[in-house]
């Protein structure tokens, strides 16, 4: 038997249509009968026939239509737009409602592309004709979007600027000049006469024709008669010529007769001259001219006949006429022609015929217009009928809804009347209760007197014990409630509350005054750091606001104390009544009970003493705690006052800045003044920031409440924002040789390891004696404090020297081509760069008079093994200009401090500034002002562009001050960016908004001006204009007639959309971003993303009026210029199915070196691929190790740790002797066994791939990030690869890296930093818990369960919840089951909280449910029910307890009595006959609900359903129960706001859908999620034969994985923003057989798996949110349950109700989702 491989070879040799799969099997090609050959491995079809295309020849190419899968292969035919082959002007076409719809090319319009688009002319219906662009030479109306010309002829309709002509190409009559180029048509100055149209020279008047005759007097002789005969003959000849010319049909015959006529005329001219002869000659000339005109007309007639013939053929084709009909119409036309020929010449009827012709042409034009409108209308009939039907249904629904609304209104009115009456009754009861409060003191005295009465009580001991037992139960309940209320007493007394409120109001008033003083301060690029002070004061204002909230909290606490006192009064009144009843009974039994008098007194006195002792002790303890809180509050207020005093001097500097900037002029004096004030601010900042942070730390440690800690965290965030703004201050600093600045760069030191790039401006003074005496100077140092691993700049031996050290010896690169002594006395640019061991330095010197520049470059490299700059985060420092005393520089940089001016520009991709400093040393801007950088080479190039780093934005307020909203409103802006997404323009007015965003590289415009139909979307769905190619693109938004929005990119129309006629309702506009509170407001759901723009912008205009964005007061965090480094794409992210490729002049098998960074969490994947012929060089990940494979030589790293989510650097080196692989400076090498490379061409262009390859390789494509790649190439220097320039980019993102660091490491670090404060807090809570140890106290105490967030998650893993409390409900059988119970139990206690009127709380029974016990809610009242033999005992409360408050319930079944005690104040009991010993029950015990079918025998159906609320502290015989054995739809009892949705808790759980929902071979699933963890299973379906579908999240990436019986296949989507950002995200999955598409927030990806011809639908259960471990396959990477909320779940457009699910298992809350 031959193998499958041989069989495939045999089949391929003799049979077409087979291919070899990746597993070696031979399978038939799936090409739908349209191809006979397909590729091995993939099965992709080759050479598709019959106008088909696609991987399986299943599609029609653009311009064709058909259905090759379901229909015949010949269905792919050219689009009939308007004619299939002769005139097809469509990009593509499709069928809708039985008719063909065309997507026309740019120049054409109409349902079938049968007419030209606006701005074009021609007749597409005429074969051979096309639509051409209107050309009016720029003399048409400029307000029109398109030039206005006749849509058929192209004749311009409205020529402006005094022009005329077919194309407005000449000046109008009465004007002269150049209408085409100069456009200077000027009126003639000739007194009303005409002038030359070019020169303007006046023309002479036309000569008048004389009417006189000049006939000499002669005698008549024979010659006269001969002349008369000749004239008669010529007249006959002329008449004959006229008749001949009228019947002529060709130009040749006419020419012949004209020659004869000329001969006759010549003969006549030869006769004797006479007056009649001259007259004949004149008439003959006129006839000659008319004959020429007639010939021209005849030629025109011939052309018209040919055109008519062509149109008749097209008419026959279009109208589908039969040959008989065509022959009949031709016969009729011939008869008409014969009739015309038989008639006399048209001389007498010409005028009438012309009039009829004009009328006929007008009628024909009207008919054509009507026919066109008719065709358009006919194509819309079906759509209109469908819409009318839909509207009719909606109107019916609206009528029904209005009826329901009317009923609701009536019911509401009735309810309001009832509530009004109830409110009046409650007010009367409140007045009665208030009157009783005055009797409290007298009641207490009376109670003391009354309690002395029991001394005389003498009754039976059993009766006394019974009464005392009830009394003790009541006192115990009162004591518990009093303890709970005392535990919640405020830590502030009334006096302290009043003082705190007054102080907070005073501080708030001062902060408002300070904020008002700061408002309006200019924030241009010169003194951008004025915002720093503003942010600090806003920050303090927020802190004061928190203090105000704390004061209100204290006031509320005081009110709760008052409420507690009222509760005590109520209890005293109750006990007074009880005591009076007891006294009366004691007096009645006095005569017969003398012996027991002393015992009764002891019992009563003990009860009273126990009742009074607890409150006294608790009040003393509360007073002590109040005094401690008062001291802490006073200390916090003192610290706040200190902070305010420390920041007060900033106000003066801000006032000076504002005053200087209002009168700022571009001269040196104003510049120096502004810089001096900036220097003062810098000095103040350097003093204030450390003090402020210290104060904040002390306040945070002493703060007693969480809201103060959150306020301090907000202050820290604002200070970080201040740092970001300070980094964009583009002002230099003057250094005098003893000065130094320690800069605070915001870049991560990990990003500097393999690649470092820095640019700065430098200016050296002339004729400085210190510099002349000691010219060698230090410039900067960035490195570790131990002088190992650093980069630096210095001036040595009259050369600028770049020095860097990578752990070994120094590398010095002197720029000797331009000595420092020859530098000009103005600013020059220095750029230093390092990639791996290669270093490079650039110097750019501008020109004094132009934008020309001199550029110098010098290279160097490390000779040792080091390649990484290993900076330690805790030890790294960045000094500029000098170093502080005591810091020891390395010997190569140990030089005197710099003298001159320096200004930092960029560090890697980020803009940095000297004003974002940690410390400054010996800098005084008063004595040493900064240098003004005002040269042409810098000022012009920087003024036109603005740089946005993604965190800042520009705000132009009141834009109508520059231009008004009008009939045509337009916004213009130019953008340049390499990023995928970002906000460009945003306007907001309440719920109305306008947003222009970039989404996945294309424009996305969404707006709502209060439209009744909701927001309008306008996006570049045809992908006409990609924006993120790092080039400037001009974007124009035009709003025409308040009803049409037009999007134009690079002066090319992209798309337009109509809306309701509404004017733009905005005054302000945000550019490049917006504040976070706006981006996360109610409009966030309408935005494609909330990412700020990163890149460059310029030329922002409103109504063609320019705005200087840096001069707008609301601008924050942007800067001048457009750094090229920030526009490079040095990063690329790959999702496992992507790659990028480039073809360059490189040969990797000769002398070669290359390297790159990578980050991944996946153990395997192809990082790099290159081939030359049969030789392959690849770098890949294999099970966590890095492997280099070069021509069969394999080098593998010894460690398998490189999929840890951290950045690693790879260097590959190829020499004739060895192959080397270096990873993070760990080198591995092997000998190069293939040394014969003579046949290779080192100058050839070859192709290489990053992240994967489209070729069939052994490794899967890479998932992760690659950055900072470089090569030693033949055609250029070593530099970092710009991935933006690569020619192939398949599903790769060139901005950002969503690969996260390992969560475990981050959590460990976080826990370490916060362990001490947590321990202190826990210790304090423990003491409080010991003091109040009653079981019910936990119900009022809140706790935070694992509030530690994942690094990428906005919400905590578990929401805030009540300790030991559980929430039930959502499903009919939500419950807990307890399997292990004690043998004997008679007393039960539980705490509950609910708003529901019905629900089961507690149920236990035997198997037949003959014996049972239940506690449930019915109509809001508590009912305790059990059986005693065949008798059912029912104890019901009179009051309702569904008020949403906690209540303690004790229920007892003991011997022959049942008792229900509620809150210790209400004791209800009932006795029964029989013996309780015969009562037996079995497990399980149900809490919160029962299993399906249970309890219906004994309890009414409404109360059998699950309890909806929270239960806590279940005890049997005073002991707590162990953990539940089973849980169904039960979650912790959450506190705080909630919303609709299903919550899956961290304790695990899942929902199983009922049988009506299943996932077969074709389905669509749509739902929304808000995760609290970045990983978890979302959906799972599993069949018995091993097929499955699984959707899960892993580290923020959503993946769908399937097995259809052939093999596994999957697709994934990774968003740029985190899925765990606290917002809702929409997910959609569509499956059609072997094709699966995944859509996450409009980010779409799909996969085509192998086709299973025997696939069948299986109706298997569908799991949501999790799945049992036994059903998971080993290939799934995520096995954890989902944590978070899911809502709006739909399958095939049918809503799925989880409350009706087949099973809800675990901690899942149906229909209720915590919002925070």
């Amino acid at each position: 038997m031959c193998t499958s491989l041989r069989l495939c070879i045999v089949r391929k040799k003799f049979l077409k249509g087979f291919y070899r799969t990746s597993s070696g099997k031979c399978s038939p090609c799936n090409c739908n009968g349209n191809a006979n050959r397909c590729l091995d491995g993939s099965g992709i079809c080759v050479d598709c026939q019959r106008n088909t295309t696609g991987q399986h020849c299943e599609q029609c190419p653009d311009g064709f239509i058909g259905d090759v899968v379901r229909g015949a292969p010949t269905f792919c035919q050219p689009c009939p737009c308007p004619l299939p082959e002769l005139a097809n002007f469509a990009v593509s076409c499709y069928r809708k409602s039985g008719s063909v719809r065309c997507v026309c090319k740019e120049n054409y319009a109409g349902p079938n592309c049968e007419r030209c688009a606006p701005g074009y002319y021609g007749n597409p219906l005429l074969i051979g004709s096309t639509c051409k662009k209107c050309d009016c030479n720029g003399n048409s109306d400029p307000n029109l979007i398109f030039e206005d010309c006749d849509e058929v002829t192209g004749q311009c309709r409205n020529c402006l600027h005094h022009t005329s002509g077919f194309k407005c190409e000449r000046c109008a009559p009465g004007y002269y000049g150049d209408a085409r180029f100069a456009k200077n048509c000027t009126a003639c100055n000739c007194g009303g006469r005409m002038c030359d149209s070019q020169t303007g020279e006046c023309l002479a008047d036309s000569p008048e024709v004389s009417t006189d005759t000049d006939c000499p007097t002669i005698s008549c002789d024979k010659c006269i008669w001969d002349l008369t005969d000749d004239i008669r003959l010529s007249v006959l000849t002329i008449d004959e010529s006229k008749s001949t010319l009228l019947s002529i049909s060709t130009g040749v015959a006419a020419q012949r007769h004209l020659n004869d006529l000329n001969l006759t005329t010549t003969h006549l001219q030869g006769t004797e001259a006479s007056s009649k002869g001259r007259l004949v000659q004149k008439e003959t000339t006129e006839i000659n001219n008319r004959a020429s005109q007639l010939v021209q007309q005849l030629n025109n007639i011939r052309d018209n006949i040919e055109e008519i013939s062509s149109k008749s053929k097209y008419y026959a084709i279009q109208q589908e006429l039969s040959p008989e009909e065509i022959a009949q119409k031709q016969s009729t036309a011939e008869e008409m022609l014969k009739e015309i020929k038989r008639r006399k010449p048209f001389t007498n009827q010409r005028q009438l015929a012309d009039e009829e012709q004009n009328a006929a042409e007008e009628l024909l034009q009207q008919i054509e217009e009507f026919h066109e409108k008719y065709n358009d209308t006919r194509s819309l009939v079906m759509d209109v009928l469908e819409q009318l039907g839909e509207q009719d249904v909606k109107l019916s629904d609206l009528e029904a809804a209005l009826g329901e609304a009317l009923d609701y209104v009536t019911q509401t009115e009735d309810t309001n009347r009832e509530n009004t009456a109830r409110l009046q009754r409650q007010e009367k009861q409140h007045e009665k209760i208030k009157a009783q409060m005055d009797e409290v003191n007298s009641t207490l005295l009376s109670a003391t007197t009354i309690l002395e009465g029991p001394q005389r009580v003498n009754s039976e001991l059993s009766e006394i014990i019974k009464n005392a037992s009830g009394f003790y139960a009541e006192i115990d309940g009162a004591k518990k409630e009093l303890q709970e209320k005392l535990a919640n007493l405020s830590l502030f007394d009334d006096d302290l509350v009043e003082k705190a409120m007054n102080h907070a109001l005073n501080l708030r008033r001062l902060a408002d005054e300070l904020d008002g003083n700061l408002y309006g301060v200019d924030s241009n690029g010169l003194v951008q750091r004025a915002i720093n002070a503003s942010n600090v004061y806003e920050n303090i204002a927020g802190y004061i606001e928190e203090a105000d909230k704390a004061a209100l909290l204290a006031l509320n606490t005081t009110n709760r104390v008052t409420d507690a006192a009222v509760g005590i009064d109520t209890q005293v009144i109750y006990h007074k009544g009880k005591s009076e009843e007891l006294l009366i009974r004691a007096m009645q039994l006095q005569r017969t009970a003398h012996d027991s008098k002393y015992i009764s007194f002891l019992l009563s006195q003990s009860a009273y003493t126990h009742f009074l002792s607890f409150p006294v002790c608790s009040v003393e303890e509360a007073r002590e705690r109040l005094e401690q809180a008062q001291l802490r509050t006073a200390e916090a207020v003192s610290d706040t006052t200190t902070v305010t005093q420390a920041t007060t001097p900033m106000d003066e500097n801000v006032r000076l800045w504002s005053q200087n900037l209002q009168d700022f002029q571009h001269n040196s004096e104003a510049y120096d003044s502004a810089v001096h004030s900036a220097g003062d601010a810098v000095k103040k900042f350097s003093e204030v920031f450390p003090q402020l942070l210290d104060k904040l730390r002390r306040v945070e440690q002493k703060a007693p409440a969480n809201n103060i800690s959150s306020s301090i965290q907000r202050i820290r965030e604002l200070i970080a924002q201040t740092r970001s703004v300070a980094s964009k201050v583009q002002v230099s600093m003057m250094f005098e040789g003893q000065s130094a600045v320690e800069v605070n760069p915001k870049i991560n030191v990990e990003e500097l390891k393999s690649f470092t790039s820095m640019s700065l401006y430098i200016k050296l003074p002339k004729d400085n004696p210190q510099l002349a005496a000691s010219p060698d100077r230090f410039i900067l140092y960035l490195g570790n404090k131990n002088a190992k691993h650093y980069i630096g700049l210095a001036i040595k031996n009259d050369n600028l020297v770049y020095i860097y050290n990578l752990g070994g010896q120094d590398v010095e690169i002197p720029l000797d081509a331009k000595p420092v002594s020859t530098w000009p006395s103005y600013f020059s640019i220095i750029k230093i760069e390092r990639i791996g061991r290669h270093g490079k330095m650039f110097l750019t010197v501008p020109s004094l008079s132009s934008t020309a520049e001199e550029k110098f470059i010098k290279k160097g490299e490390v000779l040792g093994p080091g390649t990484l700059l290993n900076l330690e985060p805790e030890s790294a420092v960045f000094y500029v200009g000098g170093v502080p005393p005591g810091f020891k520089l390395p010997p190569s940089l140990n030089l005197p401090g710099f003298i001159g001016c320096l200004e930092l520009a960029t560090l890697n991709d980020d803009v940095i500034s000297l004003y974002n400093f940690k410390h400054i040393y010996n800098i005084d801007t008063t004595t040493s002002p900064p240098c003004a950088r005002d040269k042409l080479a810098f000022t012009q190039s920087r003024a036109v562009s603005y740089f946005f780093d993604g965190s800042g934005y520009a705000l132009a307020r009141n834009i109508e001050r520059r231009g008004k909203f009008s009939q045509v409103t337009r916004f213009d802006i130019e953008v340049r960016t390499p990023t995928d997404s970002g906000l460009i323009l945003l306007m907001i007015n309440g719920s109305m908004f306008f947003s222009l965003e970039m989404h996945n590289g294309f424009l996305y415009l969404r707006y709502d001006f209060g439209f009744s139909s909701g927001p309008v979307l306008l996006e570049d769905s045809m992908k006409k204009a990609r924006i993120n190619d790092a080039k400037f693109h001009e974007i124009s938004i035009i709003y025409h007639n308040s009803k049409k929005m037009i999007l134009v990119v690079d002066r090319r129309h992209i798309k337009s959309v109509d809306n309701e006629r509404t004017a733009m309702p905005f005054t302000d506009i945000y550019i490049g971003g917006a504040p976070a509170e706006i981006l996360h407001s109610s409009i966030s759901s309408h935005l494609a993303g909330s990412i700020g723009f990163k890149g460059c912008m310029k030329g922002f205009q409103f109504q063609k009026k320019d705005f200087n964005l840096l001069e707008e007061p609301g601008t924050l965090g942007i800067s001048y210029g457009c750094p090229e480094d920030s526009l490079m794409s040095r990063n690329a992210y790959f999702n496992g199915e992507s790659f990028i490729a480039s073809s360059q002049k490189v040969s990797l098998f000769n002398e070669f070196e290359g390297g790159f960074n990578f980050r991944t969490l996946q153990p395997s994947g192809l990082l790099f691929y290159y081939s030359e012929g049969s030789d392959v060089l690849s770098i890949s990940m294999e099970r966590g190790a890095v492997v280099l494979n070069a021509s069969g030589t394999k080098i593998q790293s010894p460690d398998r740790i490189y999929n840890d989510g951290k950045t690693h650097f790879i260097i590959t080196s190829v020499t004739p002797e060895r192959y080397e692989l270096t990873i993070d400076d760990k080198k591995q090498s092997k000998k190069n066994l293939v040394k014969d490379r003579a046949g290779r061409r080192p100058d050839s262009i070859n192709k290489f791939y990053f992240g994967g390859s489209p070729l069939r390789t052994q490794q899967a494509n890479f998932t992760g990030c690659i950055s900072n790649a470089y090569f030693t190439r033949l055609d250029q220097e070593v530099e970092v690869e710009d991935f933006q320039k690569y020619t192939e980019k398949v599903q790769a993102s060139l901005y950002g890296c969503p690969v996260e660091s390992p969560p475990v490491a981050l959590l460990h670090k976080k826990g370490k930093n916060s362990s001490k404060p947590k321990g202190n807090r826990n210790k304090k809570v423990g003491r409080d818990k010991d003091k109040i140890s009653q079981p019910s106290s936990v119900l009022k105490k809140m706790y935070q369960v694992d509030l530690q967030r994942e690094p990428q998650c906005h919400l905590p893993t578990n929401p805030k919840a009540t300790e030991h409390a559980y929430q039930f409900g959502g499903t009919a059988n939500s419950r807990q089951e307890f399997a292990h119970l004690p043998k004997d139990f008679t007393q039960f206690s539980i705490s509950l909280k609910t708003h529901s009127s019905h629900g089961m709380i507690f149920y236990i029974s035997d198997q037949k449910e003959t014996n049972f016990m239940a506690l449930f809610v019915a109509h809001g009242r508590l009912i305790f029910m059990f059986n005693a033999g065949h008798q059912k005992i029912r104890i019901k409360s009179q009051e309702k307890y569904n008020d949403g408050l906690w209540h303690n319930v004790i229920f007892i079944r003991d011997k022959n009595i049942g008792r229900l005690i509620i809150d210790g104040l209400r004791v209800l009991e009932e006795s029964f006959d029989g013996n309780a010993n015969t009562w037996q029950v079995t497990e399980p015990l149900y809490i919160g609900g029962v299993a399906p079918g249970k309890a219906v025998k004994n309890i009414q159906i409404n109360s059998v359903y699950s309890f909806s609320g929270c239960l806590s502290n279940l005890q049997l015989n005073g002991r707590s129960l162990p953990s539940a054995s089973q849980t169904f739809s039960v979650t912790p009892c959450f506190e705080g706001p909630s919303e609709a949705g299903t919550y899956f808790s961290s304790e695990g759980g899942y929902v199983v859908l009922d049988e009506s929902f299943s996932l077969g071979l074709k389905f669509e699933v749509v739902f929304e999620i808000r995760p609290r963890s970045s990983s978890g299973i979302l959906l799972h379906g599993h069949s018995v034969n091993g097929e499955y579908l699984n959707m899960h999240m892993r580290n923020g990436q959503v993946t769908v994985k399937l097995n259809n019986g052939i093999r596994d296949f999957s697709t994934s989507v990774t968003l740029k923003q985190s899925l765990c950002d606290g917002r809702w995200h929409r997910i959609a999955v569509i499956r059609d057989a072997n094709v699966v598409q995944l859509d996450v927030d409009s980010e779409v990806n799909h996969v085509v798996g192998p086709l299973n011809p025997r696939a069948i639908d299986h109706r298997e259960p569908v799991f949501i949110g999790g799945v049992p471990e036994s059903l998971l396959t080993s290939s799934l990477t995520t096995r954890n349950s989902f944590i978070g909320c899911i809502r709006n779940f739909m399958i095939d457009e049918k809503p799925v109700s989880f409350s009706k699910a087949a099973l809800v298992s675990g901690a899942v809350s149906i229909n209720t989702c915590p919002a925070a």
Side-chain angles (χ1 to χ4, degrees), residues 580-623:
E580 290 176 349
E581 293 176 2
L582 187 60
L583 178 60
I584 293 172
R585 295 176 63 186
M587 293 175 65
Q588 292 175 353
L589 299 174
Q590 184 177 9
R591 299 188 188 96
T592 58
H594 294 286
D595 296 336
S596 59
K597 179 171 60 177
Y598 183 67
I599 298 176
S600 177
F601 171 76
L602 289 180
L603 289 173
S604 300
Q605 190 67 23
S606 174
Y608 179 70
T609 303
H610 181 67
F611 174 74
L612 294 180
S613 63
F614 178 77
V616 174
C617 179
S618 299
V619 169
E620 291 178 356
E621 179 187 352
R623 175 63 59 182

Side-chain angles (χ1 to χ4, degrees), residues 476 686 903 943 1017 1215 1257 1379 1462 1544:
D476 184 62
S686 64
E903 177 185 344
L1017 174 63
T1215 65
T1257 62
I1462 306 172
F1544 295 82

Side-chain angles (χ1 to χ4, degrees), residues 111 180 269 594 600 828 966 999 1314 1494 1499 1679:
R180 297 181 62 190
Q269 289 177 349
H594 294 286
S600 177
S828 301
S966 61
H999 185 57
S1314 59
K1494 275 281 188 179
I1499 312 296
R1679 313 178 78 82

Side-chain angles (χ1 to χ4, degrees), residues 617-651:
C617 179
S618 299
V619 169
E620 291 178 356
E621 179 187 352
R623 175 63 59 182
E624 181 181 354
R625 295 173 64 187
L626 284 173
E627 292 176 355
Q628 294 177 358
Q630 184 176 6
L631 294 176
R632 292 181 179 176
T633 303
E635 190 174 357
V637 169
S638 175
D639 289 337
T640 304
T641 305
T642 305
V643 172
T644 304
Q645 293 173 354
T647 54
T648 299
M650 295 180 187
D651 187 27

Side-chain angles (χ1 to χ4, degrees), residues 1258-1409:
Q1258 296 180 354
Q1259 298 92 357
N1261 285 10
F1262 177 66
T1263 300
C1265 299
I1266 295 177
S1267 61
N1268 297 332
Y1270 76 95
F1271 298 107
T1272 53
R1273 282 179 292 196
L1274 303 175
D1275 56 345
Q1276 65 185 54
E1277 301 290 341
V1278 175
E1279 61 183 20
V1280 177
E1281 293 289 292
D1282 186 359
F1283 294 146
Q1284 191 69 242
K1285 298 179 180 179
Y1286 277 30
T1287 55
E1288 289 187 56
K1289 297 182 280 288
V1290 178
Q1291 298 188 30
S1293 173
L1294 302 186
Y1295 181 74
C1297 181
V1299 177
E1300 300 291 345
S1301 298
V1304 176
L1306 291 178
L1307 289 175
H1308 175 71
K1309 183 177 180 180
K1310 185 173 181 180
K1312 180 179 179 181
N1313 294 338
S1314 59
S1315 60
K1316 186 173 182 179
K1318 284 185 178 179
N1320 293 339
R1321 288 195 294 268
N1322 291 338
K1323 187 175 181 180
K1324 178 181 176 181
V1325 172
R1327 287 198 302 267
D1328 294 343
K1329 186 175 180 180
D1330 293 339
K1331 292 181 179 180
I1332 305 174
S1333 59
Q1334 297 300 323
S1336 60
S1337 65
V1338 297
L1339 297 179
K1340 301 296 182 180
K1341 182 180 62 178
M1342 304 306 303
Y1343 82 111
Q1344 205 86 3
V1345 182
D1346 189 20
L1347 286 185
Q1348 195 174 40
R1349 294 172 173 83
E1350 289 192 15
Q1352 59 270 39
C1353 285
H1354 177 75
L1355 297 174
T1357 304
N1358 292 304
K1360 184 184 294 185
T1362 303
E1363 190 176 12
H1364 304 313
Y1366 300 94
Q1367 184 164 334
F1368 298 78
T1371 63
N1373 303 109
S1374 170
R1375 66 191 185 278
Q1376 287 181 331
E1377 296 182 6
F1378 295 85
H1380 303 289
L1381 302 177
K1383 294 182 179 180
D1384 298 323
F1385 47 84
T1386 58
Q1387 178 176 323
F1388 308 87
S1389 63
I1390 198 169
S1391 299
L1392 61 91
K1393 179 178 71 171
T1394 184
H1395 287 283
S1396 179
S1397 300
H1398 297 81
M1400 180 67 69
I1401 300 174
F1402 175 98
Y1403 188 82
I1404 190 171
S1405 69
D1406 57 12
Q1407 292 183 354
K1408 295 183 179 181
E1409 296 189 69

Side-chain angles (χ1 to χ4, degrees), residues 1524-1540:
S1525 56
Q1526 284 188 307
T1527 300
F1528 299 89
S1529 187
V1530 179
T1531 61
C1533 183
F1534 303 118
E1535 299 291 339
S1538 62
E1539 57 185 318

Side-chain angles (χ1 to χ4, degrees), residues 611-764:
F611 174 74
L612 294 180
S613 63
F614 178 77
V616 174
C617 179
S618 299
V619 169
E620 291 178 356
E621 179 187 352
R623 175 63 59 182
E624 181 181 354
R625 295 173 64 187
L626 284 173
E627 292 176 355
Q628 294 177 358
Q630 184 176 6
L631 294 176
R632 292 181 179 176
T633 303
E635 190 174 357
V637 169
S638 175
D639 289 337
T640 304
T641 305
T642 305
V643 172
T644 304
Q645 293 173 354
T647 54
T648 299
M650 295 180 187
D651 187 27
E652 299 178 2
N653 289 329
V654 174
R655 294 176 189 273
L656 290 175
W657 292 348
S658 178
Q659 183 177 358
N660 291 339
L661 290 171
Q662 290 174 358
D663 302 327
F664 180 75
Q665 300 294 331
H666 292 283
N667 55 49
S668 59
E669 182 178 354
Y671 182 89
D672 292 342
S673 176
V675 169
H676 290 168
S677 63
D680 293 338
V682 170
K683 184 175 181 180
K684 294 296 183 182
F685 274 134
S686 64
E687 298 173 357
V688 168
F689 268 136
Q691 297 175 8
L692 179 60
L693 292 176
D694 291 340
K695 296 292 183 182
L696 292 177
R697 278 191 288 269
R698 290 203 301 269
V699 172
E700 186 176 16
Q701 292 174 357
K702 299 174 181 178
N706 288 334
N707 57 349
I708 298 181
S709 296
S710 62
S711 178
I712 293 173
Q713 180 62 29
R714 202 171 301 123
I715 291 174
R716 295 186 182 276
E717 293 174 356
L718 291 174
I719 290 178
Q721 184 184 32
T722 301
R723 290 286 189 189
S724 176
V725 173
S727 66
K728 299 177 180 64
V729 177
Q730 296 173 313
V731 179
S732 64
M733 281 190 182
M734 170 66 80
F735 295 86
E736 297 289 350
Q738 302 296 326
S739 311
V741 175
E742 183 179 356
V743 183
N744 183 24
K746 62 180 181 180
I747 195 169
N748 188 349
V749 295
E750 288 291 327
E751 299 180 9
L752 299 175
K753 273 190 173 183
S754 60
F755 173 74
T756 312
S757 176
M758 185 189 305
S759 60
L760 65 151
Y761 298 90
I762 185 170
K763 178 182 177 181
L764 298 173

Side-chain angles (χ1 to χ4, degrees), residues 951-967:
S951 62
Y953 56 86
L955 171 59
R957 297 187 182 276
N958 189 20
I959 56 177
E960 286 197 284
R961 71 182 190 274
R962 302 296 306 276
K964 301 295 183 181
F965 290 101
S966 61
Q967 185 176 6

